[in-house]
Amino acid sequence: MAIHRHRGLSEDVYGAIFNKLMSLEISPGARITVDGLVRELDVSQTPIREALGRLEGEGLVVKTHLVGYSASPQITRRRFDEIYELRLLVEPNGAGRAAQRIGDEQMGLLKDTAEQMLKLDSIRDRLSYSRFARLDAEFHDKIMEIAGNEVIHDMLAHLHTHFHIFRLMFHARVTEEALTEHASILAALSSRDELGAERAMCDHIERSHQRLLPAFV
Ligand SMILES: [Zn+2]
């Protein structure tokens, strides 16, 4: 797939490689050569190196001295469980705080993210799956931002948990059920229901954990 040259070139190159990684078109652990991507995307080395550097920061790519780039291996079962343990510790509490603090403008932005996810769910191809993963990350990130603890917000943002979780499995059920659960979270947030938001977030994270477990069978 050739990429047309325009001002958003870096962003497009990054997006194209991100999609390949998220949809497992580039398999976990596989070598990634800059020259290969130069040919495939029909762009120069510079935006590709930039994109790979950014993806390295997000933990999706690893750079090894003298060897070069490769796709990060899938997370282990242990890491997977630990991510969910951490999320359960902080995100339900964050959703409860967000319910106390959320303003109309923030509610609007959150609803907008949820609506974009709803539209993508009807498409169900590999590209929309990787967009869905990013929007899910955004949805949870916004809630933690509204919750107001910057240290917790930064910590979760740096872990990029959603990218690693979504890369485990390409599955329609993952997206479909998450949308219903997001709707419950939104409903509790919009009625400023602290306990309801906490429960809905807890329920969503526990179910998400269960949904992705088959990736390890
Ligand atoms: Zn979610």
Side-chain angles (χ1 to χ4, degrees):
M1 181 185 67
I3 287 179
H4 301 290
R5 286 166 182 78
H6 55 86
R7 275 187 306 174
L9 179 67
S10 296
E11 198 57 35
D12 285 356
V13 169
Y14 164 82
I17 306 171
F18 177 81
N19 290 337
K20 286 173 186 295
L21 289 161
M22 289 302 294
S23 66
L24 308 184
E25 192 188 320
I26 301 177
S27 340
R31 282 281 310 277
I32 301 171
T33 66
V34 173
D35 287 346
L37 287 171
V38 163
R39 278 193 300 275
E40 196 183 334
L41 303 177
D42 192 23
V43 293
S44 71
Q45 287 201 0
T46 311
I48 288 172
R49 290 193 185 280
E50 263 174 37
L52 290 172
R54 189 169 155 195
L55 289 160
E56 189 187 5
E58 292 171 345
L60 287 170
V61 156
V62 279
K63 190 182 183 186
T64 316
H65 183 56
L66 300 177
V67 177
Y69 294 100
S70 54
S72 298
Q74 290 285 32
I75 50 170
T76 60
R77 172 67 197 271
R78 177 177 170 168
R79 181 125 182 127
F80 170 76
D81 289 337
E82 287 175 359
I83 285 173
Y84 277 95
E85 195 183 342
L86 172 70
R87 292 189 64 192
L88 272 179
L89 283 171
V90 293
E91 286 194 56
N93 180 266
R97 282 179 181 231
Q100 291 176 305
R101 299 165 48 102
I102 196 163
D104 290 341
E105 197 184 327
Q106 291 165 319
M107 195 64 224
L109 288 171
L110 213 50
K111 279 189 175 151
D112 186 55
T113 306
E115 261 160 41
Q116 285 182 56
M117 293 174 89
L118 205 65
K119 279 183 201 145
L120 280 179
D121 189 51
S122 55
I123 311 172
R124 295 196 182 174
D125 57 10
R126 287 183 172 265
L127 184 66
S128 61
Y129 184 76
S130 79
R131 288 199 179 128
F132 193 95
R134 186 174 290 282
L135 286 168
D136 190 42
E138 257 177 56
F139 181 82
H140 288 268
D141 182 75
K142 279 191 181 123
I143 293 174
M144 294 313 288
E145 192 184 347
I146 298 163
N149 184 320
E150 282 183 17
V151 175
I152 296 178
H153 177 230
D154 285 353
M155 175 195 66
L156 280 177
H158 282 120
L159 286 172
H160 300 287
T161 57
H162 293 79
F163 296 170
H164 300 291
I165 291 164
F166 272 87
R167 206 167 62 118
L168 287 171
M169 197 157 53
F170 172 67
H171 202 303
R173 245 190 70 207
V174 172
T175 59
E176 202 180 290
E177 294 181 3
L179 289 173
T180 319
E181 293 154 21
H182 283 182
S184 308
I185 296 169
L186 280 175
L189 288 175
S190 69
S191 50
R192 316 295 192 259
D193 175 2
E194 190 186 339
L195 204 64
E198 206 173 309
R199 282 205 195 110
M201 183 61 86
C202 181
D203 184 57
H204 173 47
I205 296 170
E206 278 173 348
R207 283 168 189 261
S208 164
H209 191 196
Q210 290 305 314
R211 271 197 294 275
L212 285 151
L213 262 183
F216 293 97
V217 179

